Amino acid sequence: MTRALITGITGQDGVLLAQNLLDRGYEVIGFGRRPSVLARADLHPLFRRLTLFYGDAANSVDLADALLHHQPEELYNLAAQSAPGASWAQSLDTGEITAMGAHRLFEAVRRFAPKCRLYHASSSEMFGTVLESPQNENTPFNPANPYAAAKVYAHQMAHVYRRSYGMFIACGILFNHESPLRRMNFLTQKVAHGAACAKLGIGDSPLLNEEGEPVVRGGKLALGNLDAARDWGHARDYVEAMRRMVQHRQPDDFVVGTGKLRTVRDLCQAAYGYVDKDWRDFVTSDPRFLRPSETGPTVADASKAQRELDWSPTISFDAMLAEMVDAQVAALRTPLPAALPR
């Protein structure tokens, strides 16, 4: 039985990857901070199927303890401050977690589990203000936000450790990938939630956005740049690409995406159209949600992954959004637990 350790186990990708590996007969160790794990009550059934190791990816001792105790054969590094928009408000923390956290992990693996095959989550955000389109493994990086800059540092350090120490570190340059497990601070989940509120006739959402206001207020969903363009796919497809990278004959970089460019307007049209609503009646552009610097139209050339990993997306854009909207509708229809008596 192959033993795999996943950092960032409570995030979307950590959960879906754990499910993928468990279904293939892996022994899975989930690495995460105790408060984050305990806060995900919705995931406790999954967590009972794996071994949890509590620790902080920013702490070298915690990483070393996990490696020495479990000696994993495969390690998937998904821990990061993973919201590009939020990285402006948390730029120093983003560098500490996303850049230096990865560096600490590479060094811990080198010292305590040098034979371990390691997957590192890079990001299409590294392309930033794009210099060519579509983007492949050889496209120059031009980061446009603190998250992207931190990811470039981690990606380059992965190369340094791969070349200098002969370590197996595969880097997945993943384009935007979504699922019902996305947190509400991500654009796609806000849009899915907005469409669900429109379907149910909810004028003021029970959930709050980063400004502390209802995500939907007075029947309107406030977003940033509606013309921003991205390559969106389903996260279940993308975690399978991660697994295939670790099984590849040699460590390498792989771009993973659908190759189809869509705008935020397209995203809204698909989500609200699924519930038979005209998105223009429900969505507004709010300058408070504009990024200080916007990336260019990032779209993947995933031909290398298709050729060498036999990977291609299987879940369509419309099916992904339908699944996300359905999950939001179900959540809104579920009554909140009653408050405990004082």
Side-chain angles (χ1 to χ4, degrees):
M1 179 184 293
T2 303
R3 183 181 300 117
L5 188 150
I6 302 172
T7 68
I9 190 64
T10 59
Q12 167 192 261
D13 292 4
V15 171
L16 293 176
L17 177 62
Q19 292 173 336
N20 181 304
L21 298 181
L22 288 166
D23 290 345
R24 295 177 181 278
Y26 275 65
E27 177 187 352
V28 176
I29 299 98
F31 182 97
R33 292 181 296 114
R34 185 184 294 269
S36 298
V37 172
L38 296 179
R40 294 303 303 267
D42 55 324
L43 299 176
H44 289 178
L46 170 68
F47 291 161
R48 285 195 288 269
R49 298 176 58 198
L50 49 81
T51 300
L52 290 171
F53 189 98
Y54 297 118
D56 190 333
N59 188 315
S60 299
V61 174
D62 289 349
L63 294 169
D65 284 348
L67 293 169
L68 288 169
H69 185 76
H70 291 288
Q71 286 295 307
E73 297 155 87
E74 298 177 5
L75 193 155
Y76 296 82
N77 181 36
L78 310 181
Q81 190 297 104
S82 57
S87 74
W88 290 103
Q90 305 169 27
S91 59
L92 295 177
D93 287 343
T94 297
E96 183 63 32
I97 297 167
T98 304
M100 293 307 300
H103 190 168
R104 290 187 185 94
L105 179 63
F106 302 152
E107 181 63 16
V109 171
R110 182 182 78 85
R111 289 174 178 270
F112 305 115
K115 300 299 183 184
C116 180
R117 288 182 167 228
L118 196 157
Y119 168 83
H120 172 68
S122 293
S123 171
S124 63
E125 286 283 329
M126 299 188 303
F127 296 123
T129 307
V130 296
L131 302 176
E132 61 184 44
S133 191
Q135 296 88 46
N136 61 31
E137 294 80 5
N138 297 315
T139 300
F141 300 136
N142 194 23
N145 58 60
Y147 168 80
K151 278 292 187 181
V152 170
Y153 175 88
H155 183 84
Q156 298 291 11
M157 290 308 301
H159 282 203
V160 169
Y161 275 74
R162 185 197 295 170
R163 291 193 303 265
S164 301
Y165 301 112
M167 293 170 60
F168 190 108
I169 306 178
C171 295
I173 306 174
L174 272 55
F175 282 64
N176 296 60
H177 49 288
E178 319 297 330
S179 80
L181 292 170
R182 266 298 190 211
R183 299 182 192 273
M184 193 52 64
N185 61 327
F186 281 83
L187 168 68
T188 47
Q189 194 69 294
K190 288 182 181 178
V191 171
H193 183 76
C197 287
K199 174 182 175 67
L200 298 175
I202 296 173
D204 291 300
S205 164
L207 301 179
L208 302 180
N209 62 24
E210 52 267 45
E211 295 293 326
E213 301 166 352
V215 175
V216 173
R217 188 178 191 180
K220 299 290 186 178
L221 171 68
L223 300 177
N225 181 9
L226 301 180
D227 294 315
R230 295 289 186 275
D231 179 339
W232 278 290
H234 199 295
R236 275 202 303 273
D237 282 334
Y238 289 44
V239 299
E240 171 60 16
M242 297 176 192
R243 187 192 67 82
R244 295 189 185 197
M245 289 181 214
V246 173
Q247 308 308 316
H248 195 51
R249 63 184 180 275
Q250 62 186 20
D252 208 342
D253 300 340
F254 292 94
V255 160
V256 176
T258 70
K260 296 179 181 178
L261 188 65
R262 294 180 171 90
T263 66
V264 176
R265 296 176 190 273
D266 296 329
L267 184 74
C268 294
Q269 183 175 6
Y272 282 85
Y274 176 65
V275 296
D276 298 319
K277 302 291 183 182
D278 186 336
W279 71 273
R280 293 168 293 186
D281 296 331
F282 299 92
V283 177
T284 62
S285 179
D286 188 327
R288 293 179 301 168
F289 299 112
L290 296 174
R291 296 183 186 179
S293 178
E294 185 61 76
T295 63
T298 51
V299 59
D301 172 6
S303 56
K304 180 178 176 181
Q306 293 166 3
R307 182 177 65 253
E308 298 191 22
L309 303 178
D310 192 27
W311 179 89
S312 59
T314 64
I315 304 170
S316 72
F317 179 75
D318 288 337
M320 175 190 75
L321 282 172
E323 182 184 352
M324 294 180 72
V325 173
D326 284 343
Q328 286 294 325
V329 169
L332 287 166
R333 283 176 169 165
T334 302
L336 295 173
L340 294 174
R342 293 184 181 271

